[in-house]
Amino acid sequence: MQQPIKMERTGNPKAKPALTDMQLGFGQYFSDHMFLMDYTDGQGWHDPRIVPYAPLMLDPASMVFHYGQAVFEGMKAYRTTDGEAQLFLPERNAERLNRSLERLSMPPLEPGQLLNAVRTLVHVDQDWIPRQEGTSLYIRPFVIATEAAFGVRPSSRYLFTIVLSPVGAYFQEGLQPVDILAEAQDVRAVRGGTGSAKTAANYAGALRAQVEARAAGCSQVLWLDALERKYIEEVGSMNVFFRIAGHVYTPSLTGSILEGVTRGAVMELLDDWDVPCIARPISLDEVLEAAEAGTLEEAFGTGTAAVISPIGGIRWKDRFIPINGRQVGDLSQKLYDTMTGIQRGLIRDVYGWTTRI
Amino acid sequence: MQQPIKMERTGNPKAKPALTDMQLGFGQYFSDHMFLMDYTDGQGWHDPRIVPYAPLMLDPASMVFHYGQAVFEGMKAYRTTDGEAQLFLPERNAERLNRSLERLSMPPLEPGQLLNAVRTLVHVDQDWIPRQEGTSLYIRPFVIATEAAFGVRPSSRYLFTIVLSPVGAYFQEGLQPVDILAEAQDVRAVRGGTGSAKTAANYAGALRAQVEARAAGCSQVLWLDALERKYIEEVGSMNVFFRIAGHVYTPSLTGSILEGVTRGAVMELLDDWDVPCIARPISLDEVLEAAEAGTLEEAFGTGTAAVISPIGGIRWKDRFIPINGRQVGDLSQKLYDTMTGIQRGLIRDVYGWTTRI
Ligand SMILES: Cc1ncc(COP(=O)(O)O)c(C=O)c1O
Ligand SMILES: Cc1ncc(COP(=O)(O)O)c(C=O)c1O
């Protein structure tokens, strides 16, 4: 049985930024309230509450700072064209959160607990959901270890937090194609590690390559597998798809790749459209050869933040391989239109992907 | 030029626990003060200060919670038998901290900055250095990303903190041998990852195996390499040494192993004693075969927390391989006595390893 969520409303609402795509950027503004809930060994999750957005007070010895026990999720609330608000496949985020928690030896949430908290919080801060096309309210649930003690073992205390951020496009480029850098040196994850969990650890080691990508004029890193440095894994914060000679390919889930919610939805759409889509190991060589042979038709990343992000080209060592003349591909465009159409309630959701708040 | 450290003393000193080995455990108590310093892009490190130990106030969007940008160090202040206090090889911790910061795309500290902060803080809280044999004051410097924004990129703000914890033995077993579990499934790190940095990310994914080890009656995990799952890397929070037929072996630094300060000191001691010590790849098979052939004379872990920790046996799948009849080996004992003797000022430090506070 879930405990009722206690509510403490702010007496001091913030001035909202102009809720336009250009102004918002990504993850720069935060709404008036946040959701908190504590976990204590023996007692379980307790004291769910919505309170004014404020700094967390954490003992400096809190385990999260030292041993990285931290998982998160990323989802969005969309303003529909009829003025309502809806979530996109929130159940899958809830399932993934519990898988991430398990990998990190952290306690799972009860079924429905995430969704209930998200709905309640978004409802309270519904005025923060922007209306302009391309905007949405990004929802960031996360769990951190708060026991104040040293020693490498799971914490006995955790804090579950949800914050909300009105966002525009993830990439400044919008739906314009982005270039990506195939990383030769650093790796993101390896089987037996934490790659399939959404945990802070996977991003920490990725920053150096991200900085390198930026310096090379690329938006994101294309990760190769840690074992052979040959197979494509994913892009910075997206899964990746290639359309080669009419077939669509995406790397199979080997244990070191995040199973994206958007990836799943894209595969369902393609299936529905009778576009053959195959999840299997894909080597970088294979993609480069297809590019050379002229059969690489398009490539795109998928993720909650950017939805569909066309890839304009791949930088690999001292080569640059443009894709589709650096134009948005037909399939990328159609997927983007369909996904965002369903998310904004413009296209009827025959898949049952959306949940009204 | 370093800024002077501002000082705010507590008006409310804590009641100290009994500073005996048994009572203290590891990382359970914290002293009266902590050191803080901020970093802001453009401004650099600023506002070094010592303040009463208190919770940190951090925006819930602080990048450390989401993208794991966090590094730390572990060192100790020892009470010498003549009543003074000293540090053990603090320069090496300072160098390693900067290497860790660099790997995580975080700003380095200036030379001398860590040592100066540690000395000042330990001096202020010197009454917290316990006196009993086997005890010390554990020093935990750490740096976390504090910019409040989403998006995978290095933070523009950081907080550097040092806290102090009076500690007893790291293992409840004291110098008694501990059993370790060779991990067949999970891995700690891989080349191209963050394994050689002291960063939270390396510990997060290790917890599941640590829980498994505990359940199997072992204190720590023995990690194998991520690529072939064949070569020994290190133990939970220690580097590892094997004495086989009179020679001592320790895994070479391949990029996925932490370069322990204790490891370095042990290698210097062995060299000084004319005990051959070789850093090279060591397979688990080789160690198990030596055990079978009766040539595996002893094995031990090295680390700041435990100093020298004899290994009583290795659990590997459904086998248990006892080492040296589960007794403390001669070399382990001699290393322990020498290291702790130097640390406590009982043995003259001909190596120049210690720094008085
Ligand atoms: C590493 C990584 N891969 C893939 C994705 C895409 O997942 P989703 O479609 O669930 O947003 C994300 C994040 O959102 C990510 O961080
Ligand atoms: C993963 C790991 N390996 C090895 C060590 C040993 O390093 P040091 O001797 O510097 O304490 C530690 C920690 O202290 C560690 O956390």
Side-chain angles (χ1 to χ4, degrees), chain A residues 26-28 30 34 53-62 64-72 102-105 138 140-144 147-155 161 163-165 170 185-194 199-211 220 226-229 236-237, chain B residues 26-28 30 34 53-62 64-72 102-105 138 140-144 147-155 161 163-165 170 185-194 199-211 220 226-229 236-237:
Chain A
F26 190 87
Q28 299 297 312
F30 300 94
M34 62 185 181
Y53 188 99
L56 305 176
M57 302 252 294
L58 293 172
D59 193 291
S62 294
V64 62
F65 300 130
H66 308 276
Y67 309 120
Q69 243 189 330
V71 303
F72 66 98
E102 194 188 354
R103 176 63 187 88
L104 275 285
S105 304
Y138 184 76
R140 171 60 59 91
F142 64 103
V143 188
I144 55 177
E147 184 184 343
F150 296 145
V152 182
R153 57 174 171 76
S155 173
T161 307
V163 295
L164 306 176
S165 173
Y170 186 67
Q185 218 54 51
D186 287 350
V187 297
R188 176 185 171 273
V190 64
R191 62 167 186 194
T194 54
T199 176
N202 296 332
Y203 301 85
L207 293 171
R208 180 165 74 181
Q210 175 64 27
V211 171
Q220 297 254 308
L227 301 179
E228 302 186 52
R229 308 215 183 183
S237 49
Chain B
F26 190 85
Q28 299 298 309
F30 301 94
M34 63 184 180
Y53 188 98
L56 305 176
M57 302 253 294
L58 293 170
D59 193 289
S62 294
V64 61
F65 300 130
H66 308 275
Y67 309 120
Q69 243 191 328
V71 303
F72 66 98
E102 195 189 352
R103 176 64 187 89
L104 275 285
S105 304
Y138 184 77
R140 171 59 59 91
F142 65 103
V143 187
I144 55 176
E147 184 183 344
F150 297 145
V152 181
R153 57 176 171 75
S155 174
T161 307
V163 295
L164 306 175
S165 174
Y170 186 67
Q185 218 55 48
D186 288 351
V187 297
R188 174 185 172 275
V190 64
R191 58 162 191 200
T194 54
T199 177
N202 296 332
Y203 301 86
L207 293 172
R208 181 166 72 180
Q210 175 64 26
V211 171
Q220 298 254 307
L227 301 179
E228 302 185 55
R229 308 216 183 183
S237 49

Side-chain angles (χ1 to χ4, degrees), chain B residues 98-236:
Chain B
N98 271 3
R99 289 200 303 276
S100 300
L101 287 166
E102 195 189 352
R103 176 64 187 89
L104 275 285
S105 304
M106 298 165 79
L109 295 177
E110 292 162 36
Q113 213 165 11
L114 175 68
L115 188 53
N116 188 30
V118 164
R119 289 177 97 134
T120 312
L121 181 63
V122 172
H123 184 76
V124 169
D125 276 347
Q126 56 184 300
D127 291 348
W128 285 86
I129 312 176
R131 291 170 185 275
Q132 215 196 11
E133 203 190 316
T135 65
S136 56
L137 186 67
Y138 184 77
I139 303 165
R140 171 59 59 91
F142 65 103
V143 187
I144 55 176
T146 53
E147 184 183 344
F150 297 145
V152 181
R153 57 176 171 75
S155 174
S156 63
R157 296 171 169 274
Y158 298 91
L159 178 66
F160 175 56
T161 307
I162 308 175
V163 295
L164 306 175
S165 174
V167 298
Y170 186 67
F171 297 115
Q172 286 158 7
E173 299 90 334
L175 191 64
Q176 287 317 299
V178 297
D179 295 340
I180 59 178
L181 176 86
E183 173 59 36
Q185 218 55 48
D186 288 351
V187 297
R188 174 185 172 275
V190 64
R191 58 162 191 200
T194 54
S196 63
K198 207 160 166 75
T199 177
N202 296 332
Y203 301 86
L207 293 172
R208 181 166 72 180
Q210 175 64 26
V211 171
E212 189 200 335
R214 277 271 163 217
C218 294
S219 299
Q220 298 254 307
V221 175
L222 178 66
W223 294 108
L224 300 182
D225 81 282
L227 301 179
E228 302 185 55
R229 308 216 183 183
K230 189 174 152 185
Y231 295 101
I232 290 172
E233 299 229 312
E234 56 188 311
V235 171

Side-chain angles (χ1 to χ4, degrees), chain A residues 74 93 96 188 198 203 234-239 258-263 302-305:
Chain A
N93 295 96
R96 189 171 62 187
R188 176 185 171 273
K198 206 160 166 72
Y203 301 85
E234 57 188 309
V235 171
S237 49
M238 302 189 290
N239 295 108
L258 191 77
E259 182 172 353
V261 173
T262 321
R263 175 186 184 274
T302 66
T304 297

